[in-house]
Amino acid sequence: GAGVSQSPSNKVTEKGKDVELRCDPISGHTALYWYRQRLGQGLEFLIYFQGNSAPDKSGLPSDRFSAERTGESVSTLTIQRTQQEDSAVYLCASSLQEGRYNEQFFGPGTRLTVL
Amino acid sequence: AQSVTQPDIHITVSEGASLELRCNYSYGATPYLFWYVQSPGQGLQLLLKYFSGDTLVQGIKGFEAEFKRSQSSFNLRKPSVHWSDAAEYFCAVAGGSGYSTLTFGKGTMLLVSP
């Protein structure tokens, strides 16, 4: 079946512009996660959703970052007034349910470059 | 807060040789541990996981890992490396709300020489 998909695969933007990154989880997966991978770093947790609610958004680095999920399906990560330090690969994952026993399946990521 | 350390940024192994990638974790309770692999241009794929029970866990692609509580380690091993194993490997521990979020190490890049 189809895996997690993300769009766009690459995004180049100018400093100060807003960007939206999209994640389509595996059908039927109720939990959805966003991570960020900066060059030479491991993945950093940003936020996760169970259904359309976000029980944990502790990883969002600033109020320029926000995310929403609708219809217990698609999620959008929005970065306002982008800065060069936002350049990274943004990875989305989904799992059947929240919790450690449920494997997270990752998408291919969106590579964001802020000039 | 939990943390994961992968001390080796790069490792080069000859094809056919054995492999061990190191992972140390810091976590206050029983850890739930994972190894993921990331091949170029692809998303992360789960290799194996440890929740409880037998401390030696088997995964896909011939990988195994051993949980050692006394050393706070969860090292990944493979007896004979293939060129297709060249990739970046990440160790992770589950934590956060409902143990739902993963804290990752910075990764170890595996290079396989002929």
Side-chain angles (χ1 to χ4, degrees), chain B residues 3-111:
Chain B
S3 65
V4 176
T5 301
Q6 294 179 248
D8 303 306
I9 298 174
H10 296 98
I11 281 187
T12 300
V13 175
S14 299
E15 189 168 15
S18 64
L19 169 70
E20 182 169 30
L21 301 182
R22 295 184 290 165
C23 171
N24 292 96
Y25 67 89
S26 173
Y27 192 68
T30 302
Y32 297 85
L33 297 160
F34 306 80
W35 275 99
Y36 282 85
V37 60
Q38 186 177 37
S39 299
Q42 300 192 18
L44 276 77
Q45 181 182 24
L46 180 66
L47 285 175
L48 48 78
K49 58 192 175 188
Y50 170 79
F51 290 159
S52 65
D54 193 350
T55 56
L56 185 63
V57 293
Q58 302 297 319
I60 62 171
K61 305 185 180 186
F63 285 93
E64 66 178 26
E66 186 171 13
F67 170 63
K68 293 185 177 180
R69 183 185 298 276
S70 62
Q71 298 178 18
S72 298
S73 69
F74 188 56
N75 293 350
L76 182 72
R77 302 195 295 243
K78 187 171 184 177
S80 177
V81 168
H82 187 263
W83 64 267
S84 61
D85 293 324
E88 191 157 22
Y89 292 79
F90 292 93
C91 181
V93 63
S97 172
Y99 293 91
S100 289
T101 61
L102 297 175
T103 297
F104 287 84
K106 293 186 178 181
T108 297
M109 180 65 72
L110 173 64
L111 306 174

Side-chain angles (χ1 to χ4, degrees), chain A residues 33 35 37 40-45 47-48 55-56 89 91 97-109, chain B residues 32 34 36 38 41-46 49 51 88 90 94-107:
Chain A
Y33 311 80
Y35 294 87
Q37 185 177 22
Q41 304 292 315
L43 281 76
E44 305 169 74
F45 164 74
I47 184 172
Y48 92 90
D56 190 347
V89 176
L91 290 162
Q97 297 178 24
E98 63 181 339
R100 58 187 176 269
Y101 299 112
N102 293 282
E103 179 181 348
Q104 295 184 25
F105 294 84
F106 284 80
Chain B
Y32 297 85
F34 306 80
Y36 282 85
Q38 186 177 37
Q42 300 192 18
L44 276 77
Q45 181 182 24
L46 180 66
K49 58 192 175 188
F51 290 159
E88 191 157 22
F90 292 93
S97 172
Y99 293 91
S100 289
T101 61
L102 297 175
T103 297
F104 287 84
K106 293 186 178 181

